[in-house]
């Protein structure tokens, strides 16, 4: 690295509260990066990949109880993967591959203790997806909140996305019958033909309520919901007695103007003695290693498959993020810098 390098980055420029995220919510900056001044224990990382997550919408809005403290002008937060190019930490020598909260920028300076080593992995980017936040979210949401039993019927929305595709496969591994809801024939084909889902509903061309009546005549035991809105409402109309409705996210509402669309069929929770519960993956941090071990084992023995959808170029980050919110991706969305 030369003495002074330019660090290119995206910063928060707008707060998309009760409206869709727009390109103007991000501003481009080029700042000089001095090649000195690492505090003891810090590393400087040249970021190669950024993880794009729908949860960033909530972070930009600064939703209370979710994330706080982000200011206009801050580097857009995100997990990333990169190579250590300068180090003041013995445990992360120059050349190590690490993941951490590096943000939408080319170079990040971070405490080594807040990074995870990725050098030993066959596919280091997996730590941003199937072995990272989205895989862990699928694991804890499905196993801890959904608690599926063999033979039960599990429905997953956003089923061809990063989290949904893993949640559905874990339900299959648990011995359940799994129905995925996704947008478009290609996504439906992928989850049934390659991931082993038992059935798929293309919510863009089919009636979810009608198809569920055919595919799950005895009702839905576990619903892992990434989407909210109308799809949540339609699945609520088909829940089985003692069903568990796992609220992972509500992406159909993130880009809407005004108030969120609430479910009108929620009284079925009373009639069917069912439970609806939200969760946040970060609350399970003390069990991440154990869960990662199980996910890695399933990847190794071929029971779990994953796919990465890679966009290119830091300058394209806002467009790639907005595209993912609209469903451009199959599997985990990454941006390669
Ligand atoms: N609770 C937690 O701790 C936690 C952690 C991580 C993520 N999440 C949540 O998990 C969900 C999935 O996140 P992800 O990172 O795995 O993203 P993702 O599913 O890989 O990508 C988003 C997907 O959402 C779908 N979508 C967009 N608009 C939709 C609409 N109006 N109706 C139905 N589907 C729509 C699109 O698929 P289609 O083409 O099928 O529409 C798109 O591919 C999000 O709601 C996110 O907020 C929660």
């Amino acid at each position: 690295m030369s003495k002074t390098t330019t660090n290119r980055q995206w910063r928060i420029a707008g707060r998309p509260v009760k409206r869709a995220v727009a390109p103007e919510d991000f501003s481009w900056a080029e700042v000089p990066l001095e090649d000195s001044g690492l505090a003891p224990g810090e590393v400087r990382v040249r970021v190669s990949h950024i993880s794009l997550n729908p949860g960033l919408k909530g972070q930009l809005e600064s939703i209370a109880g979710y994330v706080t403290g982000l200011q206009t002008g801050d580097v857009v937060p995100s997990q990333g993967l990169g190579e250590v190019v300068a180090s003041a930490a013995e445990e992360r020598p120059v050349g190590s591959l690490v993941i951490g909260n590096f943000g939408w920028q080319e170079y990040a300076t971070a405490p080594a203790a807040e990074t995870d080593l990725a050098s030993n992995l066959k596919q280091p980017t997996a730590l941003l997806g199937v072995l990272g936040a989205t895989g862990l979210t699928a694991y804890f949401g499905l196993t801890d909140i959904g608690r599926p039993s063999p033979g039960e019927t599990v429905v997953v929305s956003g089923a061809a996305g990063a989290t949904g595709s893993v949640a559905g496969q874990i339900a299959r591994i648990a011995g359940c019958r799994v129905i995925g809801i996704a947008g478009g024939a290609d996504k439906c084909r992928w989850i049934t033909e390659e991931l082993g889902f038992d059935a798929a509903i293309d919510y863009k061309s089919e009636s979810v309520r009608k198809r569920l009546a055919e595919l799950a005549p005895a009702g839905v035991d576990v619903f892992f919901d990434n989407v909210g809105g109308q799809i949540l409402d339609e699945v609520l109309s088909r829940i089985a007695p003692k069903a568990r409705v796992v609220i992972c996210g509500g992406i159909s509402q993130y880009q809407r103007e005004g108030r969120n669309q609430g479910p009108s069929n929620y009284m079925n929770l009373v009639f069917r003695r069912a439970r609806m519960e939200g969760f946040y993956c970060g609350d399970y941090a003390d069990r991440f290693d154990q869960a990662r071990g199980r996910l890695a084992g399933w990847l190794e023995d071929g029971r779990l498959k994953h796919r990465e959808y890679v966009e290119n170029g830091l300058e394209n980050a806002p467009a790639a993020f907005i595209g993912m919110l609209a469903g451009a991706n199959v599997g985990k969305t990454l941006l390669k810098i």
Side-chain angles (χ1 to χ4, degrees):
M1 200 169 35
S2 64
K3 273 227 167 322
T4 306
T5 307
T6 299
N7 193 16
R8 305 183 309 147
Q9 52 187 212
W10 283 102
R11 297 183 177 185
I12 300 173
R15 296 276 189 210
V17 179
K18 292 192 168 45
R19 65 163 172 84
V21 184
E24 300 72 48
D25 292 321
F26 306 95
S27 64
W28 180 256
E30 296 191 8
V31 293
L33 182 75
E34 295 303 323
D35 191 19
S36 61
L38 285 183
E42 277 187 343
V43 286
R44 178 158 300 150
V45 176
R46 189 193 304 122
V47 182
S48 62
H49 293 81
I50 288 170
S51 166
L52 297 178
N53 309 309
L56 175 60
K57 172 70 177 13
Q59 290 179 286
L60 295 175
E61 286 182 55
S62 210
I63 293 173
Y66 182 51
V67 274
T68 50
L70 282 174
Q71 305 293 331
T72 302
D74 287 350
V75 173
V76 178
S78 79
Q79 283 228 307
L81 167 74
E83 183 184 344
V84 174
V85 291
S87 176
E90 245 174 53
E91 68 278 22
R92 298 283 185 271
V94 169
S96 314
L97 284 184
V98 289
I99 66 153
N101 291 315
F102 301 145
W104 288 12
Q105 59 183 344
E106 272 182 321
Y107 290 94
T109 303
E114 292 175 15
T115 66
D116 282 325
L117 203 55
S119 304
N120 49 344
L121 284 177
K122 260 192 262 169
Q123 190 184 4
T125 49
L127 270 185
L128 297 176
V130 65
L131 296 179
T134 47
L136 294 167
T137 297
Y139 181 90
F140 290 111
L142 189 80
T143 58
D144 268 52
I145 314 291
R147 299 186 184 199
S149 296
E152 285 192 322
T153 296
V154 175
V155 172
V156 179
S157 63
T163 307
S165 60
V166 176
Q169 292 179 84
I170 297 173
R172 284 284 299 142
I173 292 166
C176 300
R177 219 177 129 257
V178 183
I179 302 163
I181 304 173
D186 287 347
K187 292 189 179 190
C188 288
R189 206 171 303 117
W190 180 58
I191 62 174
T192 51
E193 293 180 8
E194 289 186 42
L195 304 188
F197 282 49
D198 296 280
I201 301 172
D202 175 2
Y203 76 90
K204 289 188 174 167
S205 68
E206 299 180 293
S207 155
V208 171
R209 183 189 288 248
K210 225 171 116 192
R211 289 285 286 140
L212 279 179
E214 293 160 9
L215 293 167
V220 174
D221 299 297
V222 178
F223 178 37
F224 188 101
D225 188 24
N226 288 307
V227 162
Q230 190 182 337
I231 288 178
L232 169 60
D233 211 18
E234 293 186 359
V235 180
L236 279 174
S237 76
R238 300 288 319 162
I239 52 175
K242 294 277 181 195
R244 284 82 70 202
V245 177
V246 182
I247 304 297
C248 177
I251 197 165
S252 70
Q253 306 301 298
Y254 298 174
Q255 292 290 67
R256 273 170 68 99
E257 306 289 319
R259 286 162 66 95
N260 285 349
Q261 177 191 355
S264 59
N265 290 323
Y266 73 95
M267 281 303 288
N268 275 347
L269 296 168
V270 178
F271 306 143
R272 317 261 160 89
R273 284 80 166 161
R275 179 163 60 79
M276 181 153 91
E277 186 174 344
F279 74 101
Y280 174 57
C281 177
D283 295 342
Y284 295 87
D286 58 341
R287 290 169 54 202
F288 279 179
D289 284 347
Q290 180 202 358
R292 220 177 248 135
R294 294 197 79 189
L295 291 163
W298 292 328
L299 280 174
E300 195 65 34
D301 69 21
R303 282 190 287 172
L304 179 61
K305 296 187 177 126
H306 74 118
R307 185 151 147 184
E308 292 174 348
Y309 175 82
V310 184
E311 296 272 14
N312 285 289
L314 183 62
E315 60 283 6
N316 296 321
F321 174 63
I322 292 167
M324 185 255 307
L325 289 176
N329 61 306
V330 181
K332 171 66 197 164
T333 308
L334 298 174
L335 183 86
K336 190 171 176 191
I337 295 187

